[in-house]
């Protein structure tokens, strides 16, 4: 049985490495454009009162500027415009504001409509050490008061500050409202970039847990009271952001759906690309979307932030969700006056294409709305960049002007706001899909405008039945087929086709689709169509452009599992060029399946590693109690650390906690299992077995590495050991406890490890020379491995302590205190074992 487990564990380990390689190597290149500063970026410190400096000596507040503008602020700190505060995240720098601020500065045409302030948190590890979060929140609150005080002498001073937070900075922006002294009216708009709103990526300590729970509980309770005026946008980086899973950035069940937007960068119009955790603060495509949104949020009357929630949400949806084509948001006229001097083209067929190399006169394409022959949907695609381009009108008597070249209606209702922007190799490509059954009672004709243009004009339209263009496909199981399977062929003169993917519900699935455009007629430099992955329960859509005679591949990988109550399926949507034919094939991608498992479950691996070490220690102590000897690490691991021994018990305990109510029993504030992330096709039990077997191999690998290191140290310390220098370690325990409480618990633990390492090396040398049996060495070695892992968990708090050494030598909130005190008991417990001769000289 042991050999079978070892073979399976080795296989799982190689599959794990295979998936790890997929994450770091098998992804698209970074296609984000850089943002450049035309003048030297400068940061001017904002003066704070002495009380605030003493309370927060590590933190600072700056304002960003360039050129003459910043020189003016240096002379007289009287900013003019709309204040925006940037809040950096975990280990983030205040200088990350420069891309946003510089683009906004240029967009304002050297007239500063926006003043970008930024907070310096001394690059603290707020995502891994929760002890700094409350101080950071309090400082941001004071920064808002200080920023608004700079505008007090203005004629029309701002009454609120727009907040932009990156990573943990977005969580701090929401945490402001929890502060009892904070006035909620001072913040009305929050934009967050790759922020973990639901929970931290790693629940490193109970401070993090309490902080997140307090913030999210407040938002859920006060969603329609003190937070009724707040609009918030959360943008996730997508697949390239390996540090921040998309599902953690969602605002669902935290903020009101009508006042919140959660979206992935791949789905943001004009962005359409994934970006890593740091790139998201400088990616030009996304920065432009944010800056345009903030400009449109301004009220023309007050030249300050708009206070009307509905108008703000219309602006944010335009820039982040449903872009109709215009760069800036504007309310379109409902009724459009039709220019009678324009020519009219009347297509006869239900499929048509209007194409001109140069268009010297304005033209209306007049299309009668059809509901015959089962037609209930109309789709049009245009490459024109005019904002108002499609209208509905009623022609009372078409026969009178049927032969004329003028429009048959003088007024029409604007339908352009229903259009959607599409990715394109050219500047613009827009599409619209209309339900003709709903339009027919109001209009009988559609007018599509093609203004004068020196460039190529390409407009296509088509009537069809929706059911004819919507197929269903059962996604195969992981083990069913690894080969490519042709699933669809699309003929020419089709503009749209959709496929529902039944069974694609879990984050552990990965299905690769390949599309090949063929027989394209007379297309030079034009779009060959594009493929969009659509997820109805999460705004994580992505798109790829298609190329002729090339296998265009896209892997459909969910970043958010389908909720239990969701009945809609994920879809593939094809926006096609009517001059091309298409072949579509599908294939399960095993490497990307394991890549998804690693991506979403990697952070649970230390727990499985700890589980292996604990099982080894349990078997060794059991053997000591029963036989008076201690087996070696590999022997104990091979005997007792079998997956069936732990996973059955663990799942039974999980079921009991589930039935009783784990949150009520969780007095020690331990991280709880995710309640809702239960994939349909790959049960979480199988994933637990897979990860445990991976940790099984990792445990042995770490064992052999540490054993080699102990052997080398043993050779170095051999002269000291030969002199038989007595050292029990018990005497230093009070000193290490004092270090833990006076300085840092992780420092104390590290010093204890160094001392214990010497004892392990001593036992190894004496065993090699035949002076002692291997029992003491075997036990000490396992304890050393456990101690090392426990100390590594406290590394973030130790880094925070080191960074803040110049501000104070004591770490106030140290989550490593309790584990360190338990670890230091090793010295007196080992002394007791030797004193009462519990470990004998009998070899196991």
């Amino acid at each position: 049985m042991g050999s079978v487990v070892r073979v399976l564990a080795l296989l799982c380990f190689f599959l794990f490495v295979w998936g790890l390689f997929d994450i770091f190597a098998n992804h698209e290149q970074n296609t984000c454009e850089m943002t450049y500063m035309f003048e030297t970026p400068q940061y001017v410190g904002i003066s704070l009162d002495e009380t605030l400096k003493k309370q927060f000596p590590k933190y600072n507040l700056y304002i960003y500027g360039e050129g003459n503008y910043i020189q003016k602020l240096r002379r007289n700190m009287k900013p003019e415009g709309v204040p925006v505060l940037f809040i950096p995240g975990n280990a983030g720098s205040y200088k990350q504001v420069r891309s946003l601020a510089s683009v906004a500065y240029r967009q304002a045409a050297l007239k500063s409509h926006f003043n970008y302030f930024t907070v310096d948190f001394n690059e603290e590890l707020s995502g891994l050490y929760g002890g700094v979060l409350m101080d950071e929140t309090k400082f941001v609150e004071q920064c808002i008061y200080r920023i608004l005080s700079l505008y007090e002498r203005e004629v029309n001073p701002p009454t609120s500050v727009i907040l932009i937070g990156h990573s943990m900075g977005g969580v701090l922006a929401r945490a402001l409202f929890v502060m009892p002294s904070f006035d909620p009216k001072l913040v009305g708009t929050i934009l967050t970039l790759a922020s973990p709103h639901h929970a931290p990526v790693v629940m490193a300590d109970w401070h993090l847990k309490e902080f997140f729970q307090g913030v999210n509980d407040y938002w859920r309770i006060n969603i329609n009271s003190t937070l009724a005026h707040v609009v918030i946008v959360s943008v996730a980086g997508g697949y390239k952001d390996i540090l921040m899973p998309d599902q953690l950035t969602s605002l669902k069940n935290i903020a009101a759906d009508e006042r919140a937007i959660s979206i992935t960068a791949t789905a943001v119009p004009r962005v359409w690309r994934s970006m890593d955790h740091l790139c998201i603060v400088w990616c030009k495509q996304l920065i432009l979307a944010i800056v345009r949104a903030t400009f449109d949020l301004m009220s023309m009357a007050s030249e300050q932030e708009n206070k009307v929630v509905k108008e703000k949400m219309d602006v944010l949806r335009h820039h982040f969700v449903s872009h109709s084509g215009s760069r800036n948001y504007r309310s379109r006229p409902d009724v459009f006056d039709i220019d009678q001097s324009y020519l009219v083209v009347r297509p006869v067929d239900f499929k048509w294409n209007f194409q001109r190399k140069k268009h010297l006169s304005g033209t209306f394409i007049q299309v009668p709305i059809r509901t015959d022959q089962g037609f209930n949907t109309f789709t049009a695609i245009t490459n024109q960049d005019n904002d108002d381009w499609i209208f509905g009108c009623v022609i009372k008597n078409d026969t009178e002007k049927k032969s004329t070249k003028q429009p048959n209606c003088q007024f029409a209702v604007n339908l352009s706001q229903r259009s959607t922007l599409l990715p394109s190799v050219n500047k613009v490509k827009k599409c619209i899909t209309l339900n003709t059954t709903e339009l027919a009672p109001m209009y009988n004709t559609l007018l599509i405008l093609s203004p004068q243009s020196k460039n190529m004009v390409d407009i296509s339209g088509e009537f069809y039945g929706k059911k004819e263009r919507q197929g269903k496909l059962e996604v195969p199981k992981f083990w069913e087929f690894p080969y490519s399977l042709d699933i669809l062929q699309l003929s020419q003169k089709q503009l749209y086709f959709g496929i529902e993917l039944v069974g694609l519900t879990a984050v552990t699935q990965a299905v690769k689709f390949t599309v090949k455009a063929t027989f394209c007629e007379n297309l030079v430099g034009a779009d060959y169509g594009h493929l969009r992955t659509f997820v109805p329960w999460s705004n994580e859509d992505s798109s790829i452009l298609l190329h002729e005679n090339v296998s265009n591949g896209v892997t459909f990988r969910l970043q958010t599992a389908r909720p239990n109550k969701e009945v809609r399926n994920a879809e593939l949507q094809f926006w096609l060029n009517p001059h091309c034919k298409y072949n579509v094939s599908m294939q399960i991608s095993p490497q990307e399946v394991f890549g998804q498992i690693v991506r979403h479950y990697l952070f649970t691996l230390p727990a499985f590693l700890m589980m292996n070490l604990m099982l080894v220690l349990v078997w060794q102590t059991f053997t000591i109690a029963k036989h008076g000897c201690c087996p070696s690490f590999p022997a104990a691991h091979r005997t007792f650390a079998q997956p069936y021994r732990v996973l059955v018990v663990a799942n039974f305990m999980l079921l009991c906690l589930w039935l009783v109510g784990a949150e009520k029993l969780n007095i020690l504030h331990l991280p709880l299992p995710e309640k809702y992330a239960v994939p349909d096709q790959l049960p979480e039990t199988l994933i637990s077995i897979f990860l445990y077997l991976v940790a099984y191999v990792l445990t042995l690998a770490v064992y052999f590495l540490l054993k080699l290191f102990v052997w080398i140290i043993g050779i170095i310390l051999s002269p000291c050991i030969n002199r038989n220098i007595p050292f029990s370690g018990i005497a230093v325990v009070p000193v290490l406890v004092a270090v833990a409480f006076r300085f840092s618990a992780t420092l104390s633990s590290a010093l204890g490890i160094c001392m214990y390492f010497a004892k392990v090396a001593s036992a190894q040398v004496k065993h090699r020379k035949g002076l002692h049996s291997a029992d003491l060495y075997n036990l000490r070695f396992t304890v050393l491995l456990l101690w090392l892992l426990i100390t590594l968990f406290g590394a973030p708090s130790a880094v925070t302590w080191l960074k803040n050494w110049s501000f104070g030598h004591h770490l106030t909130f140290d989550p490593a205190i309790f584990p360190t005190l338990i670890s230091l008991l090793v010295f007196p417990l080992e002394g007791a074992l030797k004193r009462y001769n519990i470990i004998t000289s009998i070899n196991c």
Side-chain angles (χ1 to χ4, degrees), residues 121-173:
F121 286 137
N122 195 31
E123 299 184 9
E124 291 180 323
L125 300 179
S126 55
L128 297 173
Y129 172 61
V132 299
L133 290 174
M134 193 53 67
D135 280 350
E136 290 182 351
T137 306
K138 292 177 181 178
F139 184 72
V140 171
E141 178 187 11
Q142 296 302 318
C143 286
I144 291 176
Y145 297 143
R146 181 67 181 111
I147 289 169
L148 292 177
S149 70
L150 299 174
Y151 296 84
E152 288 178 346
R153 297 182 181 180
E154 292 292 315
V155 178
N156 187 21
T159 57
S160 62
V161 178
I162 297 174
L163 300 183
I164 300 179
H166 172 238
S167 188
M168 286 297 294
V171 182
L172 293 177

Side-chain angles (χ1 to χ4, degrees), residues 326-632:
S326 60
R327 290 186 179 274
N328 297 100
Y329 174 80
R330 64 182 182 85
S331 56
R332 290 182 168 88
D334 293 332
V335 180
F336 197 85
D337 189 4
I338 301 300
D339 191 339
Q340 295 297 309
S341 66
Y342 277 29
L343 299 178
V344 171
V345 175
R346 296 180 175 86
V348 178
D349 199 0
F350 65 92
K351 299 179 181 180
W352 51 266
N353 176 251
F354 180 80
Q355 199 172 68
R356 300 288 188 274
K357 290 185 178 180
K358 286 186 179 181
H359 197 40
L360 302 179
S361 60
T363 301
F364 278 107
I365 303 172
Q366 186 171 298
V367 184
I369 294 178
R370 299 185 59 170
T371 55
D372 59 327
Q373 302 182 34
F375 297 148
N376 58 15
T377 306
F378 173 76
T379 292
I381 299 177
T382 179
N383 68 343
Q384 300 294 86
D385 60 356
N386 48 310
D387 294 344
D388 303 308
W389 68 283
I390 185 166
F391 314 90
C393 71
V394 177
I395 298 178
K396 295 182 180 179
N397 189 358
D398 190 33
T399 58
E400 294 181 2
K401 293 187 178 182
K402 191 171 183 179
S403 61
T404 67
K405 296 183 178 180
Q406 296 178 348
N408 292 93
C409 48
Q410 295 183 347
F411 302 99
V413 176
N414 197 349
L415 303 176
S416 305
Q417 67 275 10
R418 303 189 190 186
S419 55
T420 303
L421 202 62
L422 296 177
S424 173
V425 294
N426 302 311
K427 289 185 177 180
V428 176
K429 190 174 183 181
K430 292 183 285 189
C431 73
I432 191 168
T433 299
L434 300 171
N435 188 323
T436 56
T437 306
E438 296 178 356
L439 291 180
M442 297 178 285
Y443 322 107
N444 60 11
T445 304
L446 295 173
L447 289 178
I448 299 175
L449 172 62
S450 176
Q452 295 181 1
S453 175
K454 295 181 180 180
N455 301 318
M456 178 74 176
V457 174
D458 191 0
I459 306 174
S460 300
E462 179 188 15
F463 288 95
Y464 56 88
K466 188 174 182 180
K467 289 184 179 180
E468 298 173 1
R469 301 294 177 83
Q470 191 72 28
K472 281 192 176 184
L473 178 67
E474 186 77 30
V475 175
K477 305 295 189 294
F478 166 71
W479 54 86
E480 285 188 356
F481 78 105
Y483 53 86
S484 180
L485 178 68
D486 291 334
I487 59 173
L488 184 65
Q489 289 185 343
L490 300 173
S491 62
Q492 291 177 331
K493 296 187 178 180
Q494 294 188 19
L495 294 181
Y496 174 81
F497 197 91
I499 302 177
E500 284 190 49
L501 301 176
V502 181
L504 187 62
T505 58
V507 295
T508 52
Q509 294 173 277
V511 187
K512 186 174 183 178
F513 293 91
T514 303
V515 185
K516 190 173 184 179
T518 58
F519 301 105
C520 296
E521 300 174 351
N522 302 323
L523 290 181
V524 179
D527 287 326
Y528 293 92
H530 92 274
L531 172 61
R532 178 191 181 201
T533 60
F534 173 67
V535 183
W537 58 85
S538 174
N539 288 326
E540 57 183 69
D541 312 339
S542 62
S543 302
I544 63 164
L545 289 172
L546 304 181
H547 303 278
E548 186 182 16
N549 295 323
V550 176
S551 295
N552 305 274
V554 60
T555 303
F556 208 145
R557 296 167 291 203
L558 294 177
Q559 301 304 311
T560 304
R562 189 174 76 170
N564 295 330
K565 295 182 180 179
E566 179 63 61
V567 296
R568 295 172 295 175
N569 294 311
E571 293 182 26
L572 277 180
Q573 297 179 345
F574 300 87
W575 300 94
L576 309 171
N577 191 306
H579 302 285
C580 297
K581 293 182 180 180
Y582 300 88
N583 294 322
V584 185
S585 60
M586 175 180 65
Q587 180 182 6
I588 291 293
S589 181
Q591 182 181 11
E592 291 172 297
V593 167
F594 287 103
Q596 285 291 90
I597 294 174
V598 173
R599 169 183 291 272
H600 292 278
Y601 293 94
L602 175 65
F603 296 109
T604 64
L605 197 59
F608 289 98
L609 195 62
M610 178 67 79
M611 195 182 298
N612 273 266
L613 296 178
M614 290 296 295
L615 287 172
V616 171
L617 184 63
V618 167
W619 183 250
Q620 286 179 332
T621 53
F622 173 78
T623 311
I624 290 171
K626 189 173 183 180
H627 302 291
C629 63
C630 181
S632 67

Side-chain angles (χ1 to χ4, degrees), residues 225-246:
S225 54
T226 56
L227 299 171
H229 67 290
V230 180
V231 297
I232 181 169
V233 176
S234 175
V235 181
Y239 190 76
K240 284 179 68 69
D241 190 349
I242 61 177
L243 298 179
M244 187 61 61
D246 287 5

Side-chain angles (χ1 to χ4, degrees), residues 709-742:
F709 191 57
V710 169
W711 179 77
I712 295 172
I713 297 298
I715 294 175
I716 297 173
L717 297 180
S718 183
C720 298
I721 295 170
N722 289 334
R723 294 176 186 176
N724 201 20
I725 300 175
F727 173 68
S728 65
I730 299 177
V732 300
V733 171
V735 177
L736 293 177
V737 171
V739 170
F741 282 99
R742 180 63 183 85

Side-chain angles (χ1 to χ4, degrees), residues 173-202:
R174 292 197 302 114
L176 277 171
F177 297 88
V178 183
M179 306 301 295
S181 58
F182 182 69
D183 183 1
K185 295 179 180 179
L186 299 182
V187 173
T189 303
I190 302 175
L191 305 177
T192 68
L193 307 174
S195 297
H197 293 294
H198 268 280
V201 177
V202 178

Side-chain angles (χ1 to χ4, degrees), residues 793-817:
F793 290 154
S797 60
V799 173
T800 302
W801 172 73
L802 283 173
K803 286 175 67 70
N804 296 334
W805 176 262
S806 59
F807 303 103
H809 301 163
H810 173 60
L811 192 63
T812 307
F813 303 103
D814 196 340
I817 282 287

